Amino acid sequence: MTSEPNLNPAHNSTAAPTPAPLNKRQRRLLGVLIEKARTTPDAYPLSLNGLVTGANQKSNRHPIMNLTTEQVDDELIKMRQAGLVAEVHSGGRVPKFRHFGYDYLGVKGAEAGVMTELLLRGEQTAGDLRTRASRFEAIADLPTLDAMLQNLITKGLVIALTPAGRGQLFTHNLYLPDELAALKADVARRGTESPLPASEGIGGRTNAAAEELQELRDEIKDLRQLIEQISERVNVLES
């Protein structure tokens, strides 16, 4: 089994090193932290329970995970030691966690949205990415996204899994070596024929609408948790 490399991006002495690979749990947690900071900023930084919920949610995730609190806590310890996340205290009794993903990846804006979607869902077509990453920041058109993808490829953050053309698949380059080899083999077995991207066709639009509805439900759940936490703090202050 391939051992996990040092997570610290500073271990490479080059001016702009490609970030070290992350295991699948760490990728999920980093993706969740960046996502929630952008989509539900009032509920960010996230508590341990919030991170578990975000990592295991059914919408906008592939593969679906069922991480325990202990598993998430173990990964957070490693990520804190690597300087990828930090524990913060904002007056409440429950510790919260924030990310340093923008510094680690060297991205911002729409590029950060693209990387977050790849971390949360793995390989996708350009059409899928444009639809999904636009919830972070609008991407004008596919040529604009293509330019972003090429820049991310140059940075070593993204790789193309299939040849250029309709249905071309892209993914992030943060897999452990054995994971990436297995993914490439799986994509090769599937062949180059792909269904219409989520942004095309009636079925695709229906699936995208269902995903957006589930995301709204998840965001409502996050806001409810935030309200409960605020209520607990008020009760403590009044007692």
Side-chain angles (χ1 to χ4, degrees):
M1 180 179 294
T2 304
S3 61
E4 294 174 27
N6 184 354
L7 299 184
N8 191 344
H11 76 283
N12 191 324
S13 61
T14 59
T18 300
L22 306 173
N23 69 39
K24 62 183 179 181
R25 293 175 182 172
Q26 293 161 357
R27 296 194 302 267
R28 176 61 56 86
L29 295 177
L30 179 60
V32 168
L33 284 165
I34 300 175
E35 175 194 49
K36 299 305 182 184
R38 297 284 292 271
T39 61
T40 55
D42 290 341
Y44 179 83
L46 297 181
S47 66
L48 178 59
N49 287 338
L51 261 171
V52 173
T53 299
N56 294 337
Q57 75 180 50
K58 301 300 186 290
S59 66
N60 202 44
R61 303 288 186 268
H62 180 77
I64 299 300
M65 290 185 174
N66 189 27
L67 301 181
T68 65
T69 300
E70 291 74 18
Q71 288 172 329
V72 171
D73 195 30
D74 287 345
E75 297 301 337
L76 285 173
I77 291 172
K78 299 174 189 175
M79 295 171 78
R80 287 170 58 195
Q81 292 172 343
L84 193 52
V85 302
E87 182 177 327
V88 296
H89 296 270
S90 55
R93 293 175 297 176
V94 179
K96 302 289 185 69
F97 299 90
R98 58 165 296 189
H99 71 86
F100 297 115
Y102 299 145
D103 294 332
Y104 186 77
L105 299 172
V107 295
K108 59 183 179 180
E111 284 190 352
V114 169
M115 287 301 299
T116 303
E117 284 300 326
L118 291 173
L119 288 170
L120 292 174
R121 299 193 73 137
E123 69 275 15
Q124 300 171 60
T125 66
D128 289 337
L129 275 172
R130 184 189 168 216
T131 299
R132 292 164 178 160
S134 290
R135 67 196 179 105
F136 298 98
E137 186 169 317
I139 299 174
D141 48 34
L142 280 175
T144 300
L145 177 61
D146 287 341
M148 288 183 197
L149 288 171
Q150 289 306 311
N151 189 45
L152 292 169
I153 289 172
T154 300
K155 291 179 178 180
L157 294 172
V158 167
I159 58 173
L161 292 171
T162 57
R166 185 177 179 81
Q168 183 180 22
L169 288 174
F170 299 90
T171 193
H172 62 79
N173 196 25
L174 297 180
Y175 293 99
L176 297 174
D178 54 346
E179 288 183 297
L180 183 56
L183 174 61
K184 288 180 176 179
D186 181 56
V187 170
R189 281 194 299 269
R190 284 186 257 159
T192 57
E193 293 185 7
S194 301
L196 286 175
S199 56
E200 301 179 24
I202 295 174
R205 288 194 293 271
T206 301
N207 291 337
E211 287 179 358
E212 290 178 3
L213 178 59
Q214 184 59 51
E215 287 165 11
L216 287 173
R217 288 171 175 163
D218 290 331
E219 290 175 8
I220 290 172
K221 180 186 288 187
D222 290 339
L223 291 173
R224 285 175 176 168
Q225 291 177 344
L226 177 62
I227 292 171
E228 290 175 359
Q229 292 169 6
I230 293 174
S231 297
E232 289 180 359
R233 294 175 189 172
V234 172
N235 290 336
V236 169
L237 292 174
E238 291 180 346
S239 61

